[in-house]
Amino acid sequence: MADPMKIRATSKDGVTEVKVLMSHEMETGQRKDAAGAVVPAWFITDVTAQHNGKTVMQAEFGTSVAKNPYLSFKFKGGAKGDKIVVSWVDNKGDKRTDEGAIA
Amino acid sequence: MNEQRRNTLKSGGGLGVLGLFVAAGLIKPEAALAAWDKKVFDAKTMDDAYGAIGSGKPVASKEIAITAPDIAENGAVVPVSVVSRLAKTERIYIMIEKNPSMVAANFTIPEGTEAEVTTRVKMGQTSNLHALVKADGKYYFATKEVKVTLGGCGG
């Protein structure tokens, strides 16, 4: 199981800004290890963020996204204390869901 | 059997591994590959990517702004922001022209979400960043060159 995400969400003037930091290697499949064997690709493919059950962001990642992916976006609405739920799935089928509250 | 497995792993990379898991019934294919479009992410040239996305030849637009450093000292972590002022922006793609897997990410923007995303990408070498935006069913793009001092791919 991967490490938890860091989720920060702040609401200002009716717009909520969400910042997510995921913990993942995001291995490209291009790198070789010390023995010269290719390190297989291992990366997050899908990210979904929901606010009160409504999807507010859906992203698909490729191997060019940097290690420990960062994502930020803004949506209209959202009140202090509302929960933001973010989930990701990687290409090995591992997944993780975390939540944060709007501050 | 073992030899075959080895080849599958080698040739297919990560997706080969995924295929094995799927074949073994460990994970359901629909759960693993909800909507992830392999064809788009496998594109090696801009034209391939446009073909896989089905965008045709996009139109250059000044309504799309890319924020990224002019010079990235470390190609492993390059912050990129894309803002689209086009009405009804539905989706934003970030592409790195000279990366081995050039489509870095795409973002679907539901109604109520602003057409503004920030993420961090890897860049193997100095390259153009492309932001492809689907707005109201049409495709637009903007580019920005980022010079990379130290590559972030390979090892």
Side-chain angles (χ1 to χ4, degrees):
Chain A
M1 178 61 90
D3 289 332
M5 284 176 251
K6 289 195 179 101
I7 302 169
R8 294 263 155 74
T10 47
S11 179
K12 197 185 166 195
D13 302 330
V15 174
T16 301
E17 181 175 24
V18 182
K19 296 176 180 173
V20 186
L21 189 61
M22 294 156 247
S23 174
H24 202 282
E25 278 302 316
M26 297 302 282
E27 193 61 62
T28 60
Q30 310 275 339
R31 238 159 43 88
K32 287 177 181 159
D33 64 15
V38 172
V39 182
W42 178 36
F43 57 102
I44 292 176
T45 54
D46 292 277
V47 182
T48 308
Q50 291 191 321
H51 165 245
N52 288 345
K54 178 185 181 285
T55 299
V56 287
M57 170 56 65
Q58 201 176 353
E60 292 173 23
F61 286 175
T63 51
S64 288
V65 172
K67 180 177 172 170
N68 298 332
Y70 172 80
L71 169 64
S72 81
F73 61 93
K74 292 173 184 168
F75 68 92
K76 291 193 187 75
K80 213 169 177 163
D82 283 2
K83 283 204 170 87
I84 303 288
V85 180
V86 183
S87 318
W88 60 249
V89 180
D90 72 16
N91 68 326
K92 290 182 181 174
D94 194 6
K95 57 186 77 171
R96 164 122 218 146
T97 299
D98 287 292
E99 58 180 47
I102 299 175
Chain B
M1 165 66 197
N2 254 341
E3 189 57 34
Q4 190 190 1
R5 180 174 176 272
R6 212 161 267 201
N7 285 336
T8 315
L9 282 169
K10 252 190 233 160
S11 60
L15 284 157
V17 176
L18 183 63
L20 278 179
F21 281 140
V22 173
L26 289 176
I27 45 173
K28 292 193 182 105
E30 61 267 34
L33 287 175
W36 199 76
D37 196 339
K38 187 176 181 308
K39 232 170 68 189
V40 170
F41 284 98
D42 274 355
K44 298 286 178 229
T45 64
M46 293 304 294
D47 286 342
D48 277 4
Y50 290 153
I53 293 163
S55 64
K57 201 95 187 141
V59 181
S61 172
K62 288 200 165 64
E63 301 300 312
I64 304 166
I66 304 176
T67 310
D70 294 328
I71 299 172
E73 275 182 30
N74 182 359
V77 187
V78 183
V80 182
S81 286
V82 178
V83 179
S84 162
R85 287 182 298 269
L86 293 159
K88 293 187 188 167
T89 294
E90 297 158 36
R91 189 171 268 197
I92 297 174
Y93 291 85
I94 296 176
M95 301 170 178
I96 301 146
E97 197 172 333
K98 288 187 182 158
N99 267 16
S101 50
M102 52 169 303
V103 178
N106 74 57
F107 305 90
T108 305
I109 315 285
E111 213 179 310
T113 297
E114 303 198 349
E116 177 179 345
V117 290
T118 303
T119 188
R120 296 195 290 229
V121 299
K122 292 187 276 252
M123 292 183 70
Q125 55 179 301
T126 297
S127 168
N128 279 328
L129 284 178
H130 294 251
L132 178 68
V133 172
K134 185 185 186 190
D136 204 11
K138 295 198 182 74
Y139 287 90
Y140 304 88
F141 79 100
T143 59
K144 176 182 167 57
E145 192 194 42
V146 175
K147 289 192 163 56
V148 175
T149 326
L150 180 69
C153 296

